Amino acid sequence: SIVKTFAMKHTYETDENQELYALGASNIIGSLWQCYPACGSLSRSAVVSNIGGKSQMFNIFTAMVVVIAVLALTSLLGPLPNAVLASIIVVAFRTLLAKLNSLRTLWGVKKSDFMCWLTTFLATLFFGTTFGLAAGFGVSIIVLLQQSARGQVAELANLPGTDIYRNIKCFPRAKRLDGVAIMRFGGSVNFVNRKSFKEQLLKFLDKRPEVHTVALDMSMANGVDVSGLNMLRSVTKIFKAREVNICLVGCRGPVRHFFQRCKFSDEVGMDLWFVDIQSAIDYLRTQDTSPPLPIPESK
């Protein structure tokens, strides 16, 4: 996080993995000669940033100044209270504290990020860095699980005069196809969001009893686990019991191979797998559907 903070401040790119490799290697090699463990210091990094340090050469000059101070200035610095010495860190740290002003914007943009930041800050302030990092990590995991659990299922409709299909809530002028519903999963299907996906699909089907075919757009699903597969099997059985056909659209390679290994492709039917939505619609137009699917008007 320290690397990212100063990379954003000075507008340069960093490789966090390379930083971790370097830090780990230096500690492993240094441990052979009983060296102190090396780590990153946010306060000292702020001081170096403010004085204009650009490379590791500043460590050499810092070491020289420290040696001079220890040999010649110890008697002068000894009587100073710690609060006076700490003021050097506070002055360097003030630019980072100035970011507190951005919390109001963060609250308005995304409240989950605000709560994560505030929890980490307060935990670090009152209980220490280790507890603060653990609290921030825990809150981040909870937020990710909460967002994943609310899997989004969007209904797609045709933009008049095109072969493009978009979320009907975002594009009110899009037209539904008679008897056909195109449902798009907003992410991977797994044990966290499988219940949410199933409830949304069944709720939608109850609202539109005239639908005889449901096309599941899987183009945004990077993966499906066993729990998600069992949910799809359950939904397929429910649809077939209601005499509703189901077809799969846009499955990515790993998802398609997973379905084939689990024999789910046989349950759906290989003739009901399509690379894109328009291919599925063109196929359905050739079938005996009632009423027939309309052909989008050309521009």
Side-chain angles (χ1 to χ4, degrees):
S1 60
I2 298 176
V3 173
K4 292 181 179 179
T5 299
F6 291 102
M8 292 178 60
K9 179 180 178 180
H10 298 288
T11 63
Y12 57 78
E13 297 295 329
T14 60
D15 185 351
E16 289 77 14
N17 291 331
Q18 182 180 359
E19 298 289 336
L20 291 176
Y21 288 146
L23 191 61
S26 62
N27 283 327
I28 292 175
I29 296 174
S31 66
L32 301 177
W33 286 272
Q34 298 181 353
C35 294
Y36 284 106
C39 63
S41 171
L42 180 58
S43 57
R44 189 180 178 193
S45 298
V47 172
V48 175
S49 175
N50 287 341
I51 64 177
K54 300 296 183 181
S55 68
Q56 295 300 322
M57 288 296 296
F58 80 89
N59 283 318
I60 298 177
F61 296 100
T62 300
M64 294 172 60
V65 172
V66 169
V67 170
I68 295 173
V70 170
L71 296 177
L73 302 177
T74 305
S75 59
L76 298 176
L77 298 177
L80 292 177
N82 291 333
V84 175
L85 299 177
S87 63
I88 301 174
I89 302 300
V90 172
V91 170
F93 205 61
R94 71 184 188 277
T95 56
L96 297 178
L97 294 177
K99 293 184 177 181
L100 291 173
N101 296 328
S102 64
L103 288 181
R104 182 179 301 177
T105 302
L106 192 60
W107 172 263
V109 173
K110 197 169 185 180
K111 293 180 175 59
S112 60
D113 287 351
F114 172 85
M115 295 304 300
C116 183
W117 189 98
L118 185 63
T119 301
T120 305
F121 175 78
L122 294 178
T124 303
L125 183 63
F126 291 106
F127 302 104
T129 305
T130 303
F131 189 87
L133 290 174
F137 179 78
V139 173
S140 300
I141 293 297
I142 293 174
V143 170
L144 289 175
L145 290 176
Q146 184 183 20
Q147 293 176 349
S148 299
R150 296 181 304 197
Q152 181 187 17
V153 177
E155 180 187 4
L156 305 185
N158 177 252
L159 296 180
T162 70
D163 294 337
I164 301 174
Y165 297 83
R166 291 292 183 265
N167 189 340
I168 196 170
K169 292 183 179 180
C170 301
F171 296 83
R173 295 185 179 180
K175 302 297 182 182
R176 291 187 175 97
L177 301 178
D178 295 334
V180 176
I182 306 171
M183 310 300 295
R184 182 183 65 194
F185 289 151
S188 299
V189 185
N190 49 53
F191 72 97
V192 178
N193 54 30
R194 61 185 178 89
K195 182 178 180 181
S196 176
F197 280 145
K198 183 177 180 179
E199 290 176 350
Q200 293 181 70
L201 288 173
L202 297 181
K203 184 178 180 180
F204 172 81
L205 193 61
D206 293 336
K207 290 182 178 180
R208 293 189 60 190
E210 77 279 3
V211 170
H212 57 74
T213 303
V214 174
L216 297 181
D217 183 3
M218 306 285 293
S219 59
M220 298 184 66
N222 293 319
V224 178
D225 65 4
V226 176
S227 298
L229 176 63
N230 292 333
M231 182 274 293
L232 291 174
R233 281 174 168 161
S234 175
V235 169
T236 302
K237 292 179 181 179
I238 295 174
F239 282 8
K240 289 183 178 181
R242 299 186 183 184
E243 297 182 350
V244 176
N245 298 319
I246 186 172
C247 59
L248 299 177
V249 177
C251 292
R252 300 192 177 190
V255 176
R256 185 173 63 254
H257 297 156
F258 176 70
F259 286 163
Q260 291 174 346
R261 290 196 303 269
C262 297
K263 307 299 181 183
F264 183 62
S265 56
D266 298 333
E267 299 176 26
V268 176
M270 291 302 298
D271 57 335
L272 295 177
W273 285 54
F274 304 95
V275 294
D276 53 38
I277 297 175
Q278 191 57 46
S279 299
I281 299 304
D282 292 340
Y283 172 82
L284 294 175
R285 288 199 186 100
T286 64
Q287 305 304 301
D288 185 14
T289 59
S290 180
L293 298 179
I295 300 176
E297 299 178 357
S298 58
K299 292 184 179 180

